């Protein structure tokens, strides 16, 4: 086994959508102030979407999956909103599930299941490169930890 550190990258589509909605909101507010129209409603409706896209971008940019070997093998999953370090000896299997509202098989929810069937950790692989996830699956297979869907 070898140590792995997989760092997330922000999806540019979220940044583009957030900037577009922010610009749309600014234009609507400016038009509402200038002409007295009711376009400010569009700005009020678009602002929560801007917040959602910014939070998703932060989550993807700070996502981290790491396999560390010293002093004992540990798998770390998470992002800036929460990280969990789990010893490999406590993991019985890794279950991959779909993220609600996700991109289908391109985005998975990783759940670490213990020997007693309890969930030890859970994280989505949003922002993690596919090649790194494939290498992590290979390393977990070498450690005799099955990775698969239910």
């Amino acid at each position: 086994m070898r140590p792995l550190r997989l760092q997330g990258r922000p999806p540019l589509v979220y940044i583009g959508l957030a900037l577009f909605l922010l610009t749309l909101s600014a234009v609507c507010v400016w038009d509402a102030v200038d002409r007295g129209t009711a376009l400010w409603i569009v700005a009020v409706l678009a602002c929560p979407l801007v917040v959602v896209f910014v939070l998703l971008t932060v989550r993807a940019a700070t996502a981290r999956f790491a396999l560390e070997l010293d002093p004992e093998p540990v798998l770390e999953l998470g992002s800036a909103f929460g990280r969990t370090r789990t010893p490999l000896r406590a993991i019985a299997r890794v279950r991959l599930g779909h993220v609600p509202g996700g991109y289908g098989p391109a985005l998975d929810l990783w759940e670490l299941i213990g020997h007693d069937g309890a969930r030890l950790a859970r994280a989505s692989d949003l922002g993690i490169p596919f090649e790194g996830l494939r290498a992590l699956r290979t390393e977990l297979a070498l450690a005799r930890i099955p990775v698969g869907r239910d």
Side-chain angles (χ1 to χ4, degrees):
M1 284 182 31
R2 62 187 170 101
L4 286 174
R5 292 190 187 278
L6 307 176
Q7 200 66 30
R9 295 180 294 197
L12 295 178
V13 67
Y14 292 154
I15 297 170
L17 286 172
L19 289 174
F20 170 75
L21 288 173
L22 197 59
T23 304
L24 177 71
S25 298
V27 168
C28 290
V29 168
W30 180 54
D31 189 55
V33 169
D34 192 36
R35 297 184 191 173
T37 61
L39 283 178
W40 60 270
I41 295 172
V42 174
V44 169
L45 295 175
C47 284
L49 287 173
V50 171
V51 171
V52 167
F53 286 129
V54 167
L55 289 176
L56 284 174
T57 301
V58 168
R59 182 174 185 165
T62 61
R64 180 175 173 197
F65 283 24
L67 181 61
E68 299 172 357
L69 301 177
D70 287 333
E72 77 171 309
V74 172
L75 181 62
E76 179 180 356
L77 302 176
S79 67
F81 299 112
R83 288 200 173 115
T84 305
R85 294 174 54 89
T86 308
L88 284 187
R89 62 179 160 69
I91 302 171
R93 65 189 174 103
V94 177
R95 180 172 50 199
L96 300 177
H98 294 292
V99 175
Y103 296 111
L107 181 64
D108 289 323
L109 189 64
W110 289 57
E111 291 181 325
L112 305 181
I113 307 297
H115 295 285
D116 59 352
R119 184 174 68 199
L120 303 174
R122 183 177 175 176
S124 72
D125 60 6
L126 177 66
I128 303 289
F130 179 73
E131 296 82 18
L133 291 174
R134 189 175 344 150
L136 180 60
R137 286 183 186 189
T138 302
E139 292 299 325
L140 289 175
L142 289 174
R144 300 181 194 263
I145 299 174
V147 178
R149 300 188 185 281
D150 282 343

